[in-house]
Amino acid sequence: TVSVLYWRGEEVGGGGVAMTEKLLGGKKKQEEDQRTFTVQSYDENTKKYCENGIRTSKYSFIPLSYRFVLWKNLFEQFHRYANCYFLLVATLQLIPGLSPTGRFTTLIPLSNVLFITFLKDAYEDYKRHKRDGEVNNQSVKTFRQGSWQDVKWRDLSVGEIVEISRDVSGGEFPADLILLHSSEEQGLCHIETSNLDGETNLKLRKAHFENPKSSVAPFNASKPGSFVGTLQCEAPNKDLYKFEGKLIRGDRPEDTSAVNFDSILLRGAKLGGSTKKIMGMVVYTGRQSKLMMNQQDSRHKVSNLEATTNSQIIFILGMQLTLCSICAVGLGISTSSFTDHWYLSAEDLNPVTTALTGVGTFIILFNNLIPISLYVSMETVKIIQAQLMGTDLTMYHEESDTPCEARTSSLNEELGQVQYIFSDKTGTLTCNIMDFLKFSVGSQSYGTGTTEIGRAAAMREGRVLHDDRPKSVKPIKGFYFYDEKISDVTGEQRKWNWMSQPNTAEIAHFLKVLAVCHTVVTEEGTDESGKPSLEYTAASPDEACLVAGARFLGVQFAARDATDVTISVNQLDGSKVDEKWKLYEVLEFNSDRKRMSVIVRDPKGVLMLLCKGADSVIFERLIKPKDEHEVQMRKTTTATLERFAEEGLRTLCIAQVLLKEDVYADWSPKYKAAQEAIGGREQKLTEVGEMIEKDLVLIGTTAIEDKLQEGVPATIELLRTAGLNVWVLTGDKQETAINIGFACSLLHNAMKLFKFEEGSSREKVTSDLSKFKDEAMNIAKADPEKDQGVVIQGATLVDITADEAPQVNKDNFLDFTKHCKAVICCRVTPGQKAEVVRIVKEGLGKVTLSIGDGANDVAMITEAHVGIGISGLEGLQAARASDYSIGQFRFLRQLLLVHGRWSYKRVVKVILYSFYKNILLYLTQFWFCLFNSFTGQSLYDRWALASFNVLFTALPIVAVGVLDRDVDPKRIMSLEQFPELYDEGRLSKLFGTKVFWGFTFTAVLQSMMCFFLPMVVLTESVDSSDGRALGMHWMGGTAYTAVVWVVNLKCALETRSFTIANHVVTWGSVGMWYVFLVVYGNLWSTLRIGQDWYGLASMILLDPQHWLTWILVVVIALFRDVVWKFYSRTFRSNLLHKVQDWEALERNGILSDFNYALMQREHPEVLPRSRIKEKPTMKAVAVEEVVSPAVAPITVSNPPMNEAQGSGAHNVQGAHNEMSQQHLQPPPNQPHVAHHHYPYRRHTGFAFSQGPNQVEIMASKIDGTPVWATSARCGNGGDKRKGGEKNLGLLEGRSKCAQVRFL
């Protein structure tokens, strides 16, 4: 057994010797299954638990400590394999006679890197030490020895009573506390948790409430010393959103009370809102507080690109060892022939020993085949890329003041390789802002109006849905309901018409249930007119919306305390009657239960359980129908729910059961025991809840609208066009999920849609999977461009994704869904979301991305290769757990298609170029070995080699990695443009074994040219100044110059957009070589370094042979690259090449603009795939008279699709592309109609001739309202490439022409 020792609350070492413990003055930490302590027992608790002082620093500045900064930091740095490799090389260089490149050329750069990293880490840790001291020395009021005393935070102990004030330390909580008293009414407390979980909205906590039947007086703020007892709670843990405890005040069962998370104040949070002062009891201190237990390094993910690079490094290492072996063998053979050369004094050399010794020499000589600069360059580039993402205003959500935030930079390139997107629905695709829209009571449904999703569903069927709510009806804080049978809100005075209906009593009871069955808390606020008004705070927008719905329909939730819920019921005469419902228990909602219940006694004394939840859980708990009327009512309710779901509404069922007194009396102790359970409390509460939530009677249903976010349809369609597969994972009903899929362009009419039957057995699921897989494969073979989709339920997924599911089901599911562009999983749990992501990630080997906004999405987000969190109304748990966070779903297209694509292309260039330049330089050393008898003699000066990756080649590729742009972002961000350009990363076209070794082959060829051409040219040459033969260093200087020029110009050839920065770093790097040559070549006379190249600059820079030689080398070496690029762009051009060519024409004023349609007409061969057009389901009917003379042919342009159109806005613009024009000649006195096939949510143009200088177009909105627009021309035959046709603008009035309306 290992005993972990603590000294002053810190872990200091391990061992089992009592003497060690005594010497250190520490105490053994006892393993806690649960914590039990006596309230206000300072001496006992101080000995038992760690102190409240914290340490966030990593290092100690005490040399004898095992955390001493020097050796602990070095230990961490040598966890990097690259540092270990170069340490080995540096060690070999120190062996006398072994290194051909000097003894310190690797050690000094490595030491510099280690030292700079050490200083950075030590300085950062010093700031942590300083901050720890400031925090630990803050003061707090503590009740000790019968009085309030000011003590430092570090001296707090478990069980103490503290007073927190906004005036002291900003109201921060010094430890994890149980709230006992608040300055606000009802014991409420507002807190800010931004330092804890990043969420900026206020949270509500409630003071711990003891059993009113207890024989012990509750906590008294004026006499805190009288508060005694024992607290039992769970052991310290990391869960920020759960707490299980029990407070024991006496010996009777009534003297115990459950302590829940609602009463917990965590360290890291602070007082907020109107709360001025609170009192609390310390439960966890110091490093055992939840905040400190969550202080851990963020999880590290490795991108596919980096993993592939690591595998290539192994091949390069093998290549290096091969070269070393060849040279070692060559050295052994050469050594055996040295006896013929007496002047070498090699008679006593053993060829085998010499060859073995030479291996170390050649390892040193070729050590930088694995570039030391690779990781430095990559990290620099990635960090800057992440910063640029955060400053991109196109991904800034102004309403919530939320920019894009990169929580890691290691996955930037992964954003450019995504194949599968897994998305939550609520809060991710929708706004998570709820409006109470419809409801039903018994067999009657109420509420008018329609939704965007409902209109889309009707349009697919060729129907038009009109919103029949009066224009005067406006949404009011979660309420957008209108039905004249229920209420009349069109006038100044609200009328409660439901009070005159035959089923008034049923409606009244339904509304009362909505006002009572919830966990909403009231606060004093003001309405829009500034008058005092109640405001509702709820854990979820749904619950607040239902309570607001009841309020606006005449039953207002007024107040709640520990034992009562007060509601205010409007009467027909305008008066109000307050009702007080006795509250006994609250069975809270969670994602597994999918329901919440309350046990109450109404004003008439009737004891009942009220329940609301998903129809799937409510219906299975309903009592068996007693008569045909109940059977018919349930059928009607089921049909109503399906109708609500078709409109995309979020539905809940409302039910109740009347309880017998003895049944409740028997059940209540079991529930209390479950409430007070320490460990597995949630599961026990669920089990006990099942005992009483049964035999329910259905009362009615509710329907809430959650609108789609702005830009969601356009974003999904753009991503699908870019080749990505989008999966939506939701808890909604199948009908709701399907209609939302159509509304957000995930599904379309031309798609083959597969559906699994609900409630199928495992055998049926296996059979359907096999059948669907075969059918999908046949469709893909017959028509590869045919889109396919599937809808599957969570119950079916159990037989596919669960651990016990048959492997054949998983395999068939993956084989089937890889042919599907869209997948909708409905009725799924948070755990199933993660399971789906996992099997796709592991089974298909493609890059996956998960995006969500709530805590229930965290498992899915962490499971995927890349996790995206949305900072939404459900908090920031998802954003905190993600790799990248954004404010809205629509920003995903900018993040993936622009930043992800650029990051992938840029990082690929950094990796390939880093290997290329080092292979090129160090292979010239290998070629030189062939001519120096494999002695390991270096062709270059040692410090010239050491400076190669630092001074002469580092910055150009960093500039490319940060700034390079191959096309304008708009060319990939629109359906009218070319989102297919994303294929490069998605299909990994730019990096792989073939591409890597292609660059390696280029480096080998160019290294031969950089070595052999200077050797051939300069071998027979002489120094023009004195006639002496040119030496090795002369040739080495010339070859090195050629290498510097070749690698920098190669980088320039790979650059797609030259900026001033690119010019400065490229030519500056070349210039730095000449500065180095001149300065370093003259240091021998003063500093005694650089003897080999002393005076070299004055010799070679003044010799024409040197200049002509390196120019010849550069031209020949890069000639192949230039020719290949010309050939590729001319005879093997792809979509990117054509787009770049046309952009060049556009910049030169030859082409005004271009789009996909023009590319499809001019160069269809470069398009990777055709686009699927949705089959139109609308029909056009011409009505009204026409006053339009026959004129010249009319030019009609398809309106370009922009973001506004994609999201449902009604904006008509004239197109300016030549391809989409259709020349039509209308018959005399007949309306001219041009029908363009677009998905239902886009505009469809109708052209009418009005004269030689203008064309009018009418486009229908989804609701059937016509929008008129005009296009003015400069004249007949206007040249659109020169701006002859202007954009269409909306007309305020309607012009004379035939009206055509879409049905």
Side-chain angles (χ1 to χ4, degrees):
T1 302
V2 178
S3 301
V4 183
L5 302 181
Y6 285 80
W7 176 67
R8 300 178 68 181
E10 299 181 5
E11 183 179 328
V12 296
V17 183
M19 180 60 70
T20 305
E21 179 180 345
K22 182 177 180 180
L23 289 174
L24 291 176
K27 50 182 176 285
K28 280 198 288 186
K29 173 183 177 294
Q30 302 296 325
E31 290 294 332
E32 294 182 272
D33 293 328
Q34 70 177 41
R35 171 167 291 191
T36 302
F37 62 86
T38 304
V39 178
Q40 300 198 76
S41 180
Y42 175 76
D43 293 335
E44 177 187 349
N45 294 335
T46 301
K47 296 176 182 178
K48 194 173 181 181
Y49 303 110
C50 71
E51 69 171 26
N52 199 42
I54 63 167
R55 173 179 59 81
T56 60
S57 57
K58 293 169 56 179
Y59 309 122
S60 169
F61 294 99
I62 302 174
L64 295 180
S65 171
Y66 82 101
R67 294 189 301 109
F68 182 52
V69 60
L70 179 58
W71 44 70
K72 185 174 182 181
N73 182 262
L74 288 176
F75 177 75
E76 290 174 348
Q77 291 199 58
F78 281 106
H79 270 67
R80 297 176 178 175
Y81 294 156
N83 288 342
C84 294
Y85 170 77
F86 289 109
L87 178 63
L88 172 63
V89 173
T91 303
L92 292 176
Q93 282 187 319
L94 294 177
I95 300 175
L98 192 63
S99 173
T101 58
R103 302 180 65 181
F104 306 105
T105 53
T106 300
L107 182 61
I108 291 179
L110 178 62
S111 299
N112 287 336
V113 170
L114 296 176
F115 182 66
I116 291 172
T117 304
F118 166 78
L119 289 180
K120 176 183 73 70
D121 292 342
Y123 176 68
E124 290 177 351
D125 205 61
Y126 166 75
K127 291 191 293 183
R128 295 191 193 102
H129 273 278
K130 188 176 179 180
R131 172 60 181 162
D132 290 345
E134 293 174 354
V135 171
N136 291 333
N137 290 316
Q138 292 184 94
S139 295
V140 63
K141 277 190 174 183
T142 306
F143 195 83
R144 284 184 186 174
Q145 300 176 351
S147 63
W148 289 103
Q149 301 179 18
D150 288 330
V151 302
K152 297 188 181 301
W153 280 22
R154 66 168 179 259
D155 296 326
L156 272 183
S157 177
V158 170
E160 290 196 277
I161 306 296
V162 298
E163 180 183 274
I164 309 297
S165 172
R166 292 276 290 274
D167 301 329
V168 181
S169 300
E172 294 185 17
F173 306 132
D176 291 349
L177 312 174
I178 296 176
L179 178 62
L180 300 176
H181 171 75
S182 173
S183 59
E184 294 197 55
E185 295 182 358
Q186 302 179 30
L188 299 180
C189 172
H190 290 90
I191 63 172
E192 297 179 10
T193 61
S194 56
N195 292 334
L196 186 67
D197 57 15
E199 300 181 19
T200 57
N201 55 312
L202 292 177
K203 306 291 193 311
L204 194 65
R205 296 292 183 265
K206 296 177 289 186
H208 171 66
F209 174 76
E210 298 184 43
N211 193 330
K213 299 179 182 179
S214 173
S215 60
V216 184
F219 178 81
N220 188 339
S222 61
K223 298 179 180 180
S226 64
F227 185 75
V228 295
T230 301
L231 182 76
Q232 293 180 357
C233 64
E234 59 188 357
N237 59 76
K238 298 180 180 181
D239 195 333
L240 294 174
Y241 306 101
K242 182 177 76 71
F243 180 84
E244 298 177 355
K246 178 172 66 174
L247 183 62
I248 305 172
R249 300 293 310 284
D251 298 330
R252 299 171 56 198
E254 293 82 3
D255 296 335
T256 64
S257 55
V259 184
N260 299 315
F261 181 73
D262 291 343
S263 302
I264 298 298
L265 306 174
L266 298 182
R267 179 174 189 151
K270 62 182 179 180
L271 294 177
S274 57
T275 308
K276 303 300 182 184
K277 184 184 297 185
I278 63 100
M279 293 182 187
M281 179 176 67
V282 178
V283 60
Y284 300 130
T285 53
R287 57 182 300 277
Q288 293 180 339
S289 63
K290 289 181 180 289
L291 171 67
M292 296 307 299
M293 295 192 77
N294 278 277
Q295 296 292 324
Q296 58 184 3
D297 294 334
S298 59
R299 46 198 181 81
H300 179 67
K301 294 181 180 180
V302 178
S303 69
N304 285 354
L305 198 62
E306 189 172 342
T308 305
T309 301
N310 291 336
S311 64
Q312 300 303 331
I313 287 178
I314 296 175
F315 286 115
I316 292 295
L317 182 61
M319 174 181 172
Q320 178 180 353
L321 294 177
T322 300
L323 294 178
C324 293
S325 300
I326 293 173
C327 291
V329 172
L331 177 60
I333 295 174
S334 299
T335 302
S336 62
S337 63
F338 282 170
T339 54
D340 298 334
H341 306 284
W342 56 268
Y343 50 84
L344 294 178
S345 302
E347 296 84 356
D348 298 330
L349 292 178
N350 184 299
V352 176
T353 303
T354 304
L356 293 176
T357 305
V359 171
T361 299
F362 295 120
I363 288 176
I364 296 172
L365 187 65
F366 304 136
N367 73 87
N368 262 329
L369 280 177
I370 300 175
I372 193 173
S373 62
L374 172 61
Y375 293 105
V376 176
S377 299
M378 280 181 61
E379 289 302 316
T380 302
V381 165
K382 289 184 177 184
I383 289 173
I384 298 176
Q385 287 175 350
Q387 294 299 317
L388 292 176
M389 293 179 191
T391 58
D392 187 349
L393 292 180
T394 61
M395 294 191 292
Y396 172 70
H397 190 231
E398 187 173 2
E399 293 180 12
S400 61
D401 188 28
T402 305
C404 173
E405 182 178 356
R407 286 177 165 75
T408 178
S409 60
S410 61
L411 301 176
N412 294 349
E413 66 274 21
E414 204 89 322
L415 293 170
Q417 296 182 276
V418 174
Q419 178 63 66
Y420 289 91
I421 295 178
F422 299 89
S423 174
D424 175 43
K425 182 190 74 71
T426 303
T428 304
L429 301 180
T430 61
C431 298
N432 207 15
I433 299 176
M434 310 301 174
D435 285 331
F436 188 92
L437 203 67
K438 298 181 180 182
F439 69 90
S440 72
V441 177
S443 299
Q444 296 293 321
S445 64
Y446 303 97
T448 58
T450 185
T451 64
E452 180 181 357
I453 296 170
R455 290 191 293 269
M459 187 67 73
R460 292 199 317 275
E461 300 172 0
R463 298 183 292 111
V464 173
L465 284 182
H466 296 282
D467 194 334
D468 46 6
R469 286 173 291 198
K471 294 183 179 179
S472 58
V473 177
K474 304 295 182 184
I476 311 171
K477 289 186 178 180
F479 185 78
Y480 199 14
F481 175 90
Y482 176 78
D483 192 325
E484 59 184 6
K485 297 191 295 295
I486 298 298
S487 65
D488 184 2
V489 296
T490 57
E492 295 183 2
Q493 186 68 31
R494 190 180 297 272
K495 299 178 182 179
W496 313 115
N497 296 338
W498 60 267
M499 299 179 184
S500 303
Q501 296 296 317
N503 59 343
T504 296
E506 289 82 356
I507 297 176
H509 183 65
F510 172 82
L511 296 176
K512 290 177 183 180
V513 172
L514 294 185
V516 172
C517 182
H518 57 77
T519 57
V520 172
V521 177
T522 59
E523 296 181 83
E524 293 294 334
T526 57
D527 58 18
E528 297 178 355
S529 61
K531 297 179 181 179
S533 174
L534 284 179
E535 292 185 357
Y536 295 144
T537 302
S540 72
D542 302 66
E543 195 162 49
C545 177
L546 292 177
V547 177
R551 173 185 184 177
F552 286 113
L553 292 177
V555 181
Q556 177 177 338
F557 165 57
R560 172 203 300 273
D561 57 29
T563 59
D564 298 292
V565 175
T566 303
I567 61 176
S568 180
V569 183
N570 284 269
Q571 303 300 305
L572 193 58
D573 58 4
S575 62
K576 294 184 179 180
V577 175
D578 290 343
E579 292 185 4
K580 185 167 290 188
W581 293 54
K582 197 71 175 177
L583 178 63
Y584 292 103
E585 306 291 354
V586 177
L587 286 67
E588 295 189 356
F589 173 91
N590 64 45
S591 57
D592 293 324
R593 281 169 41 83
K594 296 183 180 180
R595 64 189 183 279
M596 72 88 57
S597 303
V598 295
I599 298 178
V600 295
R601 192 182 299 275
D602 71 4
K604 297 179 182 179
V606 179
L607 183 66
M608 63 182 72
L609 178 142
L610 308 178
C611 183
K612 65 182 180 186
D615 60 297
S616 59
V617 297
I618 297 296
F619 268 74
E620 65 186 20
R621 288 166 174 80
L622 293 179
I623 192 171
K624 292 183 179 180
K626 299 177 181 179
D627 50 35
E628 185 61 29
H629 173 72
E630 287 193 12
V631 173
Q632 187 60 39
M633 189 196 77
R634 293 184 189 181
K635 289 182 179 179
T636 304
T637 301
T638 301
T640 300
L641 287 170
E642 292 177 355
R643 178 164 54 84
F644 288 163
E646 288 174 358
E647 297 182 46
L649 299 175
R650 296 166 62 87
T651 58
L652 287 177
C653 289
I654 312 298
Q656 70 174 27
V657 59
L658 303 182
L659 299 177
K660 295 180 179 180
E661 298 291 343
D662 58 338
V663 172
Y664 173 69
D666 180 64
W667 174 85
S668 182
K670 299 175 183 177
Y671 186 69
K672 188 175 188 298
Q675 280 184 308
E676 297 173 356
I678 310 298
R681 175 181 293 183
E682 187 171 302
Q683 178 62 30
K684 293 175 182 177
L685 287 172
T686 300
E687 293 172 356
V688 175
E690 291 282 357
M691 299 177 184
I692 202 166
E693 291 173 321
K694 60 184 180 179
D695 297 334
L696 301 177
V697 176
L698 186 64
I699 300 175
T701 66
T702 62
I704 299 172
E705 180 184 14
D706 185 10
K707 298 180 183 295
L708 287 175
Q709 286 184 16
E710 176 188 351
V712 167
T715 300
I716 290 181
E717 189 163 5
L718 189 68
L719 293 174
R720 288 181 60 249
T721 305
L724 284 79
N725 300 66
V726 182
W727 293 37
V728 173
L729 313 177
T730 176
D732 286 329
K733 291 171 63 68
Q734 178 171 301
E735 295 80 5
T736 304
I738 291 175
N739 285 323
I740 289 175
F742 277 100
C744 66
S745 293
L746 181 64
L747 308 176
H748 58 79
N749 288 334
M751 175 180 285
K752 169 62 178 176
L753 189 62
F754 297 90
K755 298 179 185 178
F756 286 84
E757 296 180 8
E758 294 189 58
S760 299
S761 63
R762 175 167 291 183
E763 292 74 16
K764 183 68 165 60
V765 171
T766 302
S767 174
D768 287 345
L769 278 172
S770 179
K771 181 179 68 174
F772 288 168
K773 181 194 72 171
D774 294 340
E775 186 176 353
M777 293 177 63
N778 292 334
I779 292 174
K781 291 179 181 178
D783 184 4
E785 306 299 336
K786 174 75 173 179
D787 279 353
Q788 302 181 67
V790 61
V791 179
I792 188 170
Q793 299 79 28
T796 305
L797 282 173
V798 171
D799 296 323
I800 299 174
T801 62
D803 293 337
E804 63 275 9
Q807 184 62 40
V808 65
N809 284 5
K810 297 179 182 180
D811 295 339
N812 285 341
F813 180 71
L814 293 175
D815 291 339
F816 166 45
T817 54
K818 70 183 179 183
H819 296 292
C820 298
K821 297 296 290 184
V823 177
I824 297 179
C825 302
C826 51
R827 296 292 197 190
V828 293
T829 65
Q832 284 183 313
K833 292 181 180 181
E835 289 175 355
V836 169
V837 175
R838 176 177 52 81
I839 67 168
V840 172
K841 180 179 72 172
E842 296 175 356
L844 297 182
K846 299 291 185 179
V847 177
T848 58
L849 178 149
S850 291
I851 179 170
D853 74 312
N856 61 335
D857 301 317
V858 169
M860 174 179 73
I861 287 173
T862 55
E863 183 65 49
H865 290 98
V866 183
I868 308 292
I870 290 184
S871 305
L873 297 180
E874 293 188 15
L876 295 179
Q877 294 98 317
R880 291 177 64 245
S882 66
D883 303 303
Y884 302 86
S885 64
I886 53 180
Q888 293 271 283
F889 181 84
R890 69 178 184 272
F891 300 142
L892 187 62
R893 55 184 173 185
Q894 179 80 7
L895 185 63
L896 296 186
L897 302 187
V898 177
H899 289 283
R901 180 174 174 273
W902 281 349
S903 296
Y904 170 74
K905 294 174 70 73
R906 292 166 175 174
V907 172
V908 163
K909 289 182 179 180
V910 171
I911 294 172
L912 293 175
Y913 180 79
S914 297
F915 281 102
Y916 156 82
K917 62 186 177 66
N918 278 41
I919 292 173
L920 193 157
L921 175 67
Y922 283 89
L923 279 185
T924 58
Q925 297 274 53
F926 174 74
W927 305 130
F928 185 54
C929 287
L930 302 179
F931 296 90
N932 63 23
S933 296
F934 298 98
T935 58
Q937 170 66 47
S938 176
L939 181 61
Y940 310 119
D941 177 85
R942 62 194 66 178
W943 292 111
L945 286 173
S947 302
F948 181 76
N949 285 313
V950 179
L951 299 178
F952 313 141
T953 61
L955 292 181
I957 193 58
V958 170
V960 171
V962 173
L963 302 174
D964 200 37
R965 298 168 56 168
D966 54 351
V967 294
D968 193 301
K970 71 179 182 181
R971 298 301 172 196
I972 195 172
M973 287 293 290
S974 167
L975 285 173
E976 286 293 293
Q977 297 296 321
F978 312 97
E980 290 88 350
L981 292 173
Y982 188 77
D983 285 359
E984 292 176 314
R986 183 177 63 85
L987 302 177
S988 300
K989 292 182 177 180
L990 302 183
F991 190 79
T993 302
K994 181 179 179 181
V995 176
F996 182 87
W997 288 101
F999 262 75
T1000 302
F1001 179 71
T1002 299
V1004 172
L1005 289 180
Q1006 293 180 350
S1007 69
M1008 297 174 66
M1009 298 172 190
C1010 288
F1011 173 80
F1012 288 107
L1013 285 177
M1015 187 186 71
V1016 170
V1017 173
L1018 300 177
T1019 296
E1020 302 298 331
S1021 301
V1022 296
D1023 188 343
S1024 59
S1025 62
D1026 56 13
R1028 292 183 301 175
L1030 302 181
M1032 178 188 70
H1033 299 306
W1034 190 304
M1035 178 189 166
T1038 302
Y1040 196 93
T1041 302
V1043 170
V1044 170
W1045 273 100
V1046 167
V1047 296
N1048 278 284
L1049 290 180
K1050 172 68 172 179
C1051 185
L1053 283 174
E1054 298 301 323
T1055 303
R1056 293 294 173 262
S1057 57
F1058 256 91
T1059 64
I1060 295 177
N1062 292 98
H1063 283 286
V1064 169
V1065 298
T1066 300
W1067 310 122
S1069 296
V1070 175
M1072 185 63 68
W1073 155 241
Y1074 288 104
V1075 172
F1076 172 87
L1077 186 60
V1078 172
V1079 175
Y1080 178 74
N1082 291 283
L1083 290 180
W1084 173 255
S1085 60
T1086 55
L1087 301 180
R1088 294 302 179 186
I1089 60 174
Q1091 178 183 7
D1092 292 340
W1093 279 15
Y1094 177 62
L1096 181 64
S1098 59
M1099 291 186 289
I1100 67 174
L1101 295 181
L1102 298 177
D1103 186 8
Q1105 295 179 93
H1106 165 78
W1107 294 90
L1108 292 174
T1109 300
W1110 74 253
I1111 291 174
L1112 178 65
V1113 171
V1114 169
V1115 171
I1116 295 177
L1118 295 179
F1119 178 74
R1120 176 253 175 207
D1121 292 78
V1122 175
V1123 171
W1124 173 253
K1125 289 183 181 297
F1126 173 80
Y1127 171 79
S1128 297
R1129 300 184 73 92
T1130 304
F1131 302 104
R1132 299 181 57 185
S1133 60
N1134 55 32
L1135 179 60
L1136 176 62
H1137 295 151
K1138 292 301 181 184
V1139 172
Q1140 290 174 331
D1141 292 343
W1142 285 5
E1143 280 193 332
L1145 295 176
E1146 185 181 30
R1147 287 193 299 269
N1148 294 328
I1150 300 174
L1151 186 65
S1152 63
D1153 198 4
F1154 58 92
N1155 61 11
Y1156 178 86
L1158 186 60
M1159 185 70 71
Q1160 191 176 37
R1161 187 187 73 178
E1162 299 295 336
H1163 300 287
E1165 73 281 357
V1166 302
L1167 298 174
R1169 56 189 171 274
S1170 62
R1171 295 187 184 177
I1172 303 298
K1173 291 185 178 181
E1174 182 180 351
K1175 296 177 182 178
T1177 59
M1178 301 172 292
K1179 53 185 178 181
V1181 180
V1183 297
E1184 297 189 10
E1185 66 172 349
V1186 179
V1187 182
S1188 176
V1191 291
I1194 304 163
T1195 300
V1196 183
S1197 298
N1198 290 336
M1201 291 161 287
N1202 54 27
E1203 179 179 338
Q1205 292 168 321
S1207 60
H1210 307 294
N1211 177 34
V1212 182
Q1213 292 183 339
H1216 39 269
N1217 67 77
E1218 217 174 18
M1219 170 60 199
S1220 62
Q1221 297 169 11
Q1222 302 178 18
H1223 298 280
L1224 306 169
Q1225 177 67 50
N1229 299 323
Q1230 292 293 328
H1232 171 67
V1233 179
H1235 189 179
H1236 303 294
H1237 301 290
Y1238 276 97
Y1240 61 86
R1241 65 180 182 77
R1242 302 190 194 135
H1243 294 296
T1244 301
F1246 284 77
F1248 304 89
S1249 173
Q1250 288 295 101
N1253 294 322
Q1254 79 175 27
V1255 170
E1256 293 209 354
I1257 293 179
M1258 188 280 289
S1260 289
K1261 297 183 183 178
I1262 290 177
D1263 62 6
T1265 306
V1267 178
W1268 295 93
T1270 186
S1271 173
R1273 298 181 185 278
C1274 298
N1276 288 333
D1279 185 358
K1280 281 178 277 303
R1281 289 192 177 184
K1282 298 179 180 179
E1285 181 173 349
K1286 300 179 181 178
N1287 286 343
L1288 296 170
L1290 293 177
L1291 294 181
E1292 291 186 78
R1294 211 193 80 189
S1295 301
K1296 271 191 176 182
C1297 62
Q1299 178 180 355
V1300 178
R1301 187 184 301 275
F1302 269 145
L1303 302 182

